[in-house]
Amino acid sequence: MRGWKPAPHVLLLLPAFVVLAAVVIVPLLLSLYSSFTPFRLTRPETIYEFIGLRNYIRLFADREFWAAFGRTVLLLTVALNVEMVLGLFLALLVEKATRGQRLLRTIMMFPMMFSPILVGFQFKFMFNDNIGLVNNALQSLGLTDQAIPWLIDGKLAFTSILIAEVWSSTSVFAIFILAGLMAMPKEPLEAAKVDGCTPWQSFRYVTWPFIMPFAYIAMTIRSLDIARAYDIVKIMTDGGPAKRTEILWTLISRTAYSDARMGLANAMAYVAILLSILFTVMFFRQLAKARQQIGAEW
Amino acid sequence: MATVSLKNLVKKYGSLEVVHAINLDVADREFVALVGPSGCGKSTTLRMIAGLEPISGGHIHIGDRAVNDLPPRQRNISMVFQSYAIYPHMTVAENMGFSLKIAGRSQQEIASAVADAARTLGLEELLERRPSQLSGGQRQRVAMGRAIVRHPDVFLFDEPLSNLDAKLRMQMRTEIKKLHAKVQSTMIYVTHDQVEAMTLADRIVIMRDGHIEQVGPPEEVFRRPATRFVAGFIGSPTMNLRDATVDDGRLRFANGDTLPLPGQFRNRVTAGQKVIFGLRPDDLYPTGHGIHSGEAADVHAVEVPVSLTEPLGNETLVFAEFAGDDWISRMLNPQPLRSGDRVELSFDLSQSHLFDANTEKSLRG
């Protein structure tokens, strides 16, 4: 080691670089590399076999993968829209509260405090066709005399998952939009009233443009959330019945650990990440535009 | 016809009454300024006229319509806010045309109304800009533009110049005056700045603690303040106001110094009455350095020590000690003075004011 005298700043930063490399960069590169191999957990030596883009080419022809991909995008789109609308309503209601607003805000965040696994179990129980609360309630109210197969029918299962997602995360939108409403200057609203706006017009032309950036922040966060959704689906249906609720990450984990095809799973994961990046870029663009529109100084 | 009339107008927040049954009639095309210290209820009154604040009692009429319970959009008013309140996400043109767009006017109509207003206010170059690209003065002009495109019955201004720097404020003041001359609408203008009120208004309404103290043209509230409060509020620098007792045809101050009882009040006070004596700095000047307006006999001269001076170029404010206290006097054609110098002060008593110490009302009658 004689003669090698690194500058102090290099020396001081070195531990951080070593740790980062060990926990982030090496696994990332390794997983990227393994996506170019037919690596199977059961046959470790396959990691040294380089097969180029064959995994990716195979994916492009894989119906099951694209079905999961499409289902993820569908879940994402529907959930974001429903959460946006419900969150907006919640935020508007809570903002109107003159007393106990703090308490309401806290209550509103309760669903976010539960682990998604628990939310999954809770809704799995509620939607159970035999003993579940939902069927029980529907039957007691006389709305139906049948046991609706919530988690067994493909479409209903998807809806049930959607409901669980929306229940657990609408408050993300509500909180962000409420923050926007509370940060909003009141004078433009008064000016709008004087300018002749009905309450709806005030909302449409003044309030809405102002809270849009806040909604986009929530959308960015939630799109990343749903693009990597796993736990609720894993618990409620595990991708079933007959893979009708299979989404990207349940498929990826099945491929990686049940089928032990790690190479292929990593290839899927990289495509899935592209999806997330795509949505993030899209929402950030919208956010920047909306911010510029309202002349935000943040 | 856009008169505005307030009858026994009351505003309460819970059990706290902040505006106490005030009455005011504003004539068509009149420019009225509501002025008073912060918390006097002037902004609340304006917001009640606008319909942004529900009223707790009394009546508001605009023209011959009772508007008590009408929402702002049905009152045909325009309002300019202290913080401009322009819509940040719209261009200048969109801001100005917004009310017409809401009213469902045609594109052409909106464009021509906006162009007219922009010409009036010198905003033609800025129509496509966004508010964030404008200076404070320009933003305030946009807010005014937004108000004038609608040709409302009444313009309401809520401290529109308070956020501007002193120079710009003077400039905008002139523009508001020109605007009034041009659009010929009824205007109600709230300010805490008495200079703005004096320079702009046809009539000034001085408010204090939710009551109206005095209503009158600027000249009148300046020359003949009805109460001690008005006397102290209007005029800059403020009027010298001192407690005194009427004693044997003279005014005796707390430390024993006296001044002759001004002739105009001789028959209006009784011996031993407690009063407040008021004299504007303009009417208290180093002898030979002021303008006296009455008879020479009404001018009373006293030699006093100078405590400090504030030279302003064309004049100097001299703080001189009399009756145990510093009095402000205005020295025209100023001569250099130093603290400690002795100077002869002329008290132009024909211009002095007396207020009853208990009621604080003017004894002029």
Side-chain angles (χ1 to χ4, degrees):
Chain A
M1 290 294 280
R2 278 191 67 205
W4 191 69
K5 268 200 178 160
H9 63 275
V10 174
L11 208 58
L12 286 169
L13 285 173
L14 208 56
F17 276 114
V18 170
V19 171
L20 261 179
V23 303
V24 178
I25 299 169
V26 171
L28 204 65
L29 290 177
L30 192 66
S31 66
L32 183 63
Y33 164 74
S34 78
S35 74
F36 298 111
T37 68
F39 182 39
R40 279 173 176 267
L41 289 175
T42 47
R43 289 166 54 208
E45 73 280 5
T46 50
I47 198 167
Y48 301 110
E49 195 182 322
F50 190 79
I51 55 164
L53 291 170
R54 213 183 299 162
N55 279 334
Y56 289 93
I57 293 165
R58 192 171 151 180
L59 275 188
F60 277 98
D62 184 351
R63 268 172 172 265
E64 211 170 274
F65 175 75
W66 289 111
F69 191 96
R71 226 171 266 127
T72 309
V73 174
L74 181 69
L75 181 69
L76 201 153
T77 317
V78 179
L80 281 191
N81 279 294
V82 174
E83 286 174 21
M84 166 81 213
V85 172
L86 290 180
L88 178 64
F89 270 104
L90 265 181
L92 288 172
L93 278 179
V94 171
E95 207 244 349
K96 282 270 172 287
T98 45
R99 239 186 275 178
Q101 206 196 69
R102 215 178 266 243
L103 185 70
L104 285 175
R105 283 206 301 259
T106 314
I107 292 175
M108 200 164 74
M109 291 182 72
F110 274 175
M112 285 169 73
M113 298 173 191
F114 294 109
S115 147
I117 299 270
L118 293 180
V119 174
F121 276 122
Q122 172 199 331
F123 277 90
K124 190 179 188 179
F125 163 66
M126 285 179 28
F127 283 118
N128 186 295
D129 48 352
N130 272 324
I131 56 160
L133 279 178
V134 175
N135 275 350
N136 198 323
L138 290 177
Q139 287 163 2
S140 305
L141 290 169
L143 294 173
T144 178
D145 53 358
Q146 289 173 348
I148 299 169
W150 288 108
L151 297 174
I152 295 162
D153 177 88
K155 276 192 184 131
L156 284 178
F158 189 80
T159 313
S160 308
I161 289 169
L162 190 70
I163 290 172
E165 266 299 337
V166 168
W167 179 86
S168 71
S169 300
T170 291
S171 42
V172 175
F173 277 90
I175 293 294
F176 273 98
I177 293 174
L178 186 60
L181 287 172
M182 286 164 66
M184 185 176 160
K186 295 292 166 259
E187 286 87 357
L189 267 184
E190 299 195 326
K193 279 191 198 169
V194 175
D195 268 350
C197 285
T198 59
W200 162 248
Q201 285 168 325
S202 302
F203 175 78
R204 164 75 185 75
Y205 293 109
V206 183
T207 309
W208 177 242
F210 196 88
I211 56 179
M212 224 149 57
F214 294 86
Y216 280 125
I217 295 175
M219 278 198 201
T220 313
I221 293 176
R222 282 296 296 151
S223 71
L224 287 175
D225 259 1
I226 301 181
R228 64 184 171 81
Y230 174 70
D231 6 31
I232 290 184
V233 182
K234 172 76 185 165
I235 299 298
M236 283 179 73
T237 63
D238 197 11
K243 302 199 169 169
R244 291 234 181 84
T245 56
E246 189 86 295
I247 55 170
L248 275 175
W249 289 96
T250 54
L251 178 67
I252 293 168
S253 82
R254 199 186 316 283
T255 312
Y257 301 112
S258 304
D259 305 350
R261 291 153 76 182
M262 195 52 98
L264 183 62
N266 274 329
M268 289 179 177
Y270 274 95
V271 177
I273 282 168
L274 283 182
L275 176 71
S276 294
I277 292 174
L278 194 79
F279 272 102
T280 309
V281 168
M282 187 178 96
F283 286 128
F284 262 73
R285 284 226 176 118
Q286 298 287 337
L287 172 65
K289 216 195 295 174
R291 272 180 54 191
Q292 197 200 1
Q293 274 221 328
I294 62 163
E297 273 143 21
W298 40 272
Chain B
M1 262 298 279
T3 57
V4 175
S5 126
L6 314 179
K7 289 203 181 66
N8 296 317
L9 188 64
V10 175
K11 178 66 194 178
K12 285 182 190 169
Y13 291 109
S15 58
L16 181 70
E17 192 170 294
V18 293
V19 174
H20 313 285
I22 59 170
N23 289 288
L24 179 67
D25 283 299
V26 180
D28 187 30
R29 299 179 188 183
E30 193 179 18
F31 195 127
V32 166
L34 303 184
V35 63
S38 53
C40 70
K42 57 191 191 299
S43 276
T44 309
T45 305
L46 191 79
R47 291 170 57 83
M48 285 193 284
I49 300 172
L52 293 171
E53 206 71 69
I55 66 176
S56 317
H59 297 278
I60 301 176
H61 283 82
I62 295 177
D64 29 17
R65 259 188 336 153
V67 296
N68 288 9
D69 301 315
L70 292 184
R73 64 173 187 278
Q74 289 172 18
R75 297 190 182 196
N76 200 20
I77 45 159
S78 276
M79 186 154 168
V80 178
F81 294 81
Q82 178 178 355
S83 58
Y84 324 130
I86 43 186
Y87 310 121
H89 54 290
M90 299 182 200
T91 63
V92 169
E94 285 166 345
N95 258 288
M96 285 166 53
F98 183 65
S99 61
L100 299 179
K101 179 178 158 190
I102 291 298
R105 306 285 184 77
S106 73
Q107 292 274 338
Q108 278 174 326
E109 213 176 332
I110 297 174
S112 84
V114 168
D116 275 351
R119 207 169 311 122
T120 310
L121 293 162
L123 286 170
E124 291 134 305
E125 308 294 313
L126 306 174
L127 284 177
E128 293 313 313
R129 297 255 191 109
R130 284 192 186 278
S132 53
Q133 299 164 303
L134 301 179
S135 69
Q138 290 168 332
R139 287 182 203 195
Q140 193 51 277
R141 227 170 284 180
V142 174
M144 282 175 14
R146 192 171 62 180
I148 62 175
V149 289
R150 306 179 52 201
H151 299 292
D153 289 339
V154 184
F155 282 95
L156 305 174
F157 294 88
D158 190 5
E159 309 218 14
L161 306 185
S162 304
N163 285 4
L164 304 179
D165 63 57
K167 199 173 167 188
L168 203 52
R169 202 179 305 164
M170 261 177 75
Q171 197 184 327
M172 290 301 287
R173 208 165 68 199
T174 323
E175 290 200 19
I176 291 179
K177 196 156 193 172
K178 281 187 198 154
L179 183 71
H180 181 235
K182 197 179 254 172
V183 301
Q184 294 278 323
S185 286
T186 310
M187 292 189 177
I188 303 179
Y189 187 104
V190 162
T191 176
H192 63 266
D193 180 353
Q194 49 102 11
V195 180
E196 261 172 46
M198 295 284 285
T199 48
L200 286 171
D202 297 325
R203 274 195 307 156
I204 298 182
V205 177
I206 296 125
M207 290 185 70
R208 177 200 189 186
D209 296 338
H211 293 285
I212 290 179
E213 289 266 318
Q214 187 174 0
V215 182
E219 173 79 6
E220 186 183 307
V221 295
F222 184 80
R223 294 271 165 232
R224 306 172 71 89
T227 66
R228 184 212 132 96
F229 174 79
V230 174
F233 192 80
I234 299 287
S236 172
T238 51
M239 188 187 283
N240 297 294
L241 289 160
R242 298 292 181 276
D243 290 331
T245 312
V246 180
D247 182 9
D248 194 16
R250 294 183 75 82
L251 293 168
R252 185 175 300 281
F253 297 97
N255 77 336
D257 284 349
T258 62
L259 281 178
L261 185 61
Q264 67 269 36
F265 295 109
R266 200 148 288 157
N267 301 321
R268 301 189 178 275
V269 293
T270 52
Q273 186 176 356
K274 299 230 180 284
V275 294
I276 299 156
F277 173 76
L279 191 62
R280 292 202 185 277
D282 315 62
D283 306 314
L284 173 64
Y285 44 84
T287 303
H289 292 275
I291 302 162
H292 76 87
S293 35
E295 298 287 313
D298 290 326
V299 179
H300 181 78
V302 184
E303 198 183 87
V304 295
V306 172
S307 16
L308 69 99
T309 59
E310 287 182 355
L312 298 172
N314 57 343
E315 61 184 39
T316 295
L317 298 180
V318 180
F319 293 70
E321 195 183 324
F322 175 71
D325 206 352
D326 276 352
W327 294 53
I328 310 176
S329 84
R330 198 192 285 271
M331 182 186 204
L332 302 179
N333 304 317
Q335 304 285 309
L337 279 177
R338 274 193 227 162
S339 79
D341 287 356
R342 291 190 75 82
V343 66
E344 191 188 83
L345 279 189
S346 291
F347 290 73
D348 187 349
L349 297 177
S350 68
Q351 299 301 312
S352 68
H353 306 267
L354 273 192
F355 305 94
D356 185 276
N358 294 319
T359 63
E360 299 203 340
K361 290 211 161 64
S362 173
L363 292 168
R364 195 187 297 268

